[in-house]
Amino acid sequence: HSTFGMTLIEILVVLGVIGMILGMGVPALLQYGKGARLKAATRQVMGLMTLARSLAIGSRQDHAVLIDRERHEVRVVNQATGEALEHVTRLPSALSVQLEVGGEPAADSQIIFRSNGSLAGRTVSIILGDDQRSQTILVTAATGSVSIQ
């Protein structure tokens, strides 16, 4: 006799193997998603920093990057006119934002770029993070250069 098909035991073994593979893969996929969100938010904030510096130089007017921790938003504002640009970055609520000046927590939540591209004040670190990872954006005071650490 030749039978084609599978026994119940064979099907259960295959389902068990599939379950183990999924059990190991799903947590790794979730961690990858969190990391991707952090990197994307870091790139967006870095882009706004670069935009604010470019606008300050181009318009010869100070521009500020405002970080609203309660609303999880980062925006650019023209300091001379008080006009907020339409460029707003909304950060995921799971991310925290910290500003440090000289290694100490900053009291102010804004970073001002002067018309020559430099910062008003000292070098600033913007730390974006979740419960497991963080990324730091460094803005150098003398030149206004923006980089990821």
Side-chain angles (χ1 to χ4, degrees):
H1 279 315
S2 169
T3 44
F4 297 103
M6 290 187 250
T7 65
L8 180 60
I9 298 289
E10 291 171 329
I11 292 174
L12 290 176
V13 168
V14 169
L15 288 176
V17 170
I18 291 172
M20 288 186 344
I21 291 171
L22 287 175
M24 291 184 293
V26 169
L29 188 60
L30 292 175
Q31 290 299 328
Y32 174 77
K34 285 182 182 180
R37 278 193 297 272
L38 175 60
K39 287 180 183 178
T42 302
R43 283 192 297 271
Q44 288 176 334
V45 171
M46 187 172 172
L48 276 184
M49 293 288 171
T50 304
L51 174 65
R53 182 176 183 271
S54 296
L55 289 171
I57 293 169
S59 67
R60 296 192 175 146
Q61 295 178 333
D62 293 356
H63 279 70
V65 175
L66 303 177
I67 298 172
D68 186 342
R69 293 180 186 138
E70 290 178 11
R71 296 172 65 187
H72 294 283
E73 290 181 350
V74 181
R75 67 180 61 238
V76 177
V77 175
N78 182 325
Q79 288 289 95
T81 64
E83 176 185 352
L85 299 179
E86 293 180 21
H87 296 77
V88 176
T89 296
R90 299 192 197 301
L91 301 173
S93 59
L95 290 183
S96 64
V97 181
Q98 296 177 337
L99 261 66
E100 291 184 357
V101 177
E104 298 292 323
D108 205 3
S109 291
Q110 69 177 0
I111 300 163
I112 301 172
F113 288 93
R114 299 282 183 213
S115 60
N116 64 1
S118 67
L119 281 186
R122 297 168 52 196
T123 297
V124 175
S125 297
I126 304 154
I127 303 162
L128 298 167
D130 57 18
D131 54 344
Q132 295 177 347
R133 299 182 180 122
S134 67
Q135 286 199 307
T136 302
I137 300 170
L138 183 68
V139 186
T140 308
T143 63
S145 69
V146 182
S147 62
I148 296 177
Q149 296 290 302

